[in-house]
Amino acid sequence: MNRLFALGLSLFISTMSWADVKVVYHLSEGIPQASRAIGNIRNHLNADPTAKIVVVTHGQGIDFLLDGATNQANQPFAGSIGELAGRGVQFRVCNNTLVTRNVSKDRVVMEASVVPSGVAEVARLQAKEGYVYLRP
Amino acid sequence: MNRLFALGLSLFISTMSWADVKVVYHLSEGIPQASRAIGNIRNHLNADPTAKIVVVTHGQGIDFLLDGATNQANQPFAGSIGELAGRGVQFRVCNNTLVTRNVSKDRVVMEASVVPSGVAEVARLQAKEGYVYLRP
Amino acid sequence: MNRLFALGLSLFISTMSWADVKVVYHLSEGIPQASRAIGNIRNHLNADPTAKIVVVTHGQGIDFLLDGATNQANQPFAGSIGELAGRGVQFRVCNNTLVTRNVSKDRVVMEASVVPSGVAEVARLQAKEGYVYLRP
């Protein structure tokens, strides 16, 4: 029985190490951080194409996910967001931030979804869904 | 037996997913980060009232936990600290920082406790007590 | 059987809590962050001498690992890097960054190794090797 238990446990652990890597990118700083994050995520997916990436934003971190947002070089974020969404990246925007900053949900790009709380989402993904953390 | 093992394992995993979320907020930057963190934690607890939150501070991160500390708008932190402590949030201050910066333990607010090393505490909470990480 | 399962499981969990703490320090900001990190890691190892620490760098984070790098006070990093490497700390540099910034691998100090992607390495260490995260 102990042998079978050990077998089962090692199978369980092996399964974990076969599983795809799941990563939450945590963004709260604003446009420069978002620009860095987009380059980071592109490199991340090139190095590990099966990585599952969720970008959770709150505070100034949501700015690049509003319609018409542009980076420091005045180039629109829309293309990069669409490209990454096409590679499976998910984007989430904090509703507390929308309310506090008086930003309408209508301004959030269609590739992003709204969650009640950005920080609670960052914690939940790690604690309940096996995501690891990365702050770009 | 394998069926029982599977049952036990799924019970174990279910237990994990029932468990409360535990989060370490890592602060080392100073007053603006502390102000953000307080808003973040308030939102976090509103969205997830059972979340267990520990704030670990070192470097400039300890400043808001010293007696009489005020934020950028010159308002005392004392009220917010007391409010969050009342909701179960714990605050920890790095002793290495106190020694290096020559700050007396007497200046640390009563809601906070002193730990030998802030960074070791941030790692220990994750590795040994199941906390997830968040840097506000 | 359930009793044996419980025994096995608690042994497994105990083993985890006996295991050494493994920490990835994530650096991407530049010289001031690297200086802080070196102090943090020294304090970390003093508080927890068995902690296994890997420093993963990308972007501006690689700068202190290039030959001849100096800190804000114009002191070379070489001594600190050698000291920490001697205490078991590993240093890793992102190859994407080397390529993007057109920095030759020859300029990376001998204590550091090059990995294909810094961000993928930060995620992999957490997801596959049981490391916890810390951003100094």
Side-chain angles (χ1 to χ4, degrees):
Chain A
M1 180 136 49
N2 278 318
R3 219 175 299 169
L4 267 170
F5 175 78
L7 176 70
L9 199 56
S10 57
L11 276 175
F12 170 61
I13 291 169
S14 305
T15 308
M16 290 188 67
S17 63
W18 290 331
D20 290 343
V21 173
K22 299 191 280 187
V23 194
V24 53
Y25 273 70
H26 178 205
L27 272 69
S28 62
E29 291 175 23
I31 295 299
Q33 187 192 30
S35 296
R36 285 198 309 272
I38 283 171
N40 291 159
I41 293 170
R42 209 174 268 138
N43 283 333
H44 199 145
L45 287 172
N46 290 345
D48 182 5
T50 65
K52 174 93 201 87
I53 294 177
V54 177
V55 180
V56 177
T57 66
H58 61 92
Q60 303 300 118
I62 75 165
D63 291 357
F64 81 109
L65 293 173
L66 301 180
D67 271 327
T70 54
N71 65 15
Q72 304 104 300
N74 223 29
Q75 293 166 321
F77 276 105
S80 299
I81 293 169
E83 170 215 336
L84 294 179
R87 298 175 76 177
V89 176
Q90 292 183 23
F91 298 91
R92 299 183 186 164
V93 168
C94 174
N95 192 52
N96 283 326
T97 300
L98 294 177
V99 171
T100 306
R101 293 178 49 191
N102 202 21
V103 174
S104 163
K105 271 180 201 187
D106 300 340
R107 292 189 52 205
V108 176
V109 297
M110 65 173 187
E111 288 89 349
S113 60
V114 175
V115 293
S117 158
V119 284
E121 181 72 0
V122 167
R124 191 189 65 77
L125 286 169
Q126 293 181 81
K128 301 298 188 191
E129 300 199 13
Y131 279 73
V132 299
Y133 181 93
L134 201 152
R135 184 170 181 90
Chain B
M1 181 136 52
N2 277 319
R3 219 174 300 168
L4 267 170
F5 175 78
L7 175 70
L9 199 56
S10 57
L11 276 174
F12 170 61
I13 292 169
S14 306
T15 308
M16 289 187 68
S17 63
W18 289 333
D20 290 343
V21 172
K22 299 192 280 187
V23 194
V24 52
Y25 273 70
H26 178 205
L27 272 69
S28 62
E29 291 174 23
I31 295 301
Q33 187 192 30
S35 296
R36 287 198 308 273
I38 282 170
N40 291 159
I41 293 169
R42 209 174 266 136
N43 283 333
H44 199 145
L45 288 172
N46 290 345
D48 181 6
T50 66
K52 174 91 200 90
I53 294 176
V54 177
V55 180
V56 177
T57 66
H58 61 92
Q60 305 300 118
I62 75 166
D63 290 358
F64 81 109
L65 293 173
L66 301 180
D67 271 326
T70 53
N71 66 14
Q72 305 103 300
N74 224 28
Q75 292 166 320
F77 277 105
S80 299
I81 293 169
E83 170 215 335
L84 294 180
R87 296 174 76 177
V89 177
Q90 293 183 21
F91 298 91
R92 299 183 186 165
V93 169
C94 174
N95 192 53
N96 284 325
T97 299
L98 294 177
V99 171
T100 306
R101 294 179 49 189
N102 202 22
V103 174
S104 164
K105 271 181 201 184
D106 300 341
R107 291 189 51 204
V108 175
V109 297
M110 65 173 187
E111 288 89 349
S113 61
V114 176
V115 293
S117 159
V119 284
E121 181 72 1
V122 167
R124 191 189 65 77
L125 286 169
Q126 292 181 81
K128 301 298 188 191
E129 300 199 12
Y131 279 73
V132 299
Y133 182 93
L134 201 152
R135 184 170 181 91
Chain C
M1 182 136 51
N2 277 320
R3 219 174 298 168
L4 269 171
F5 174 79
L7 176 69
L9 199 57
S10 56
L11 277 175
F12 171 61
I13 292 170
S14 306
T15 308
M16 291 189 66
S17 63
W18 290 331
D20 290 343
V21 173
K22 299 192 280 188
V23 194
V24 53
Y25 273 70
H26 177 205
L27 272 69
S28 63
E29 289 175 25
I31 296 300
Q33 186 193 30
S35 295
R36 285 198 309 272
I38 283 170
N40 293 159
I41 293 169
R42 208 174 267 136
N43 283 333
H44 199 145
L45 288 172
N46 290 344
D48 181 5
T50 66
K52 174 91 201 90
I53 294 176
V54 177
V55 180
V56 177
T57 66
H58 61 91
Q60 304 300 118
I62 75 164
D63 290 358
F64 81 110
L65 294 172
L66 301 180
D67 271 327
T70 53
N71 66 13
Q72 305 104 299
N74 224 30
Q75 293 166 319
F77 276 105
S80 299
I81 293 168
E83 170 215 335
L84 294 179
R87 297 174 77 176
V89 177
Q90 293 183 22
F91 298 91
R92 299 185 186 163
V93 168
C94 175
N95 192 53
N96 284 325
T97 300
L98 294 177
V99 172
T100 305
R101 294 179 48 190
N102 201 22
V103 175
S104 164
K105 271 181 201 186
D106 299 340
R107 292 189 52 205
V108 175
V109 296
M110 64 173 188
E111 288 88 349
S113 61
V114 175
V115 293
S117 160
V119 284
E121 181 72 1
V122 167
R124 192 189 65 78
L125 286 170
Q126 292 180 80
K128 302 298 188 192
E129 300 199 13
Y131 279 72
V132 300
Y133 181 94
L134 201 151
R135 184 170 180 91

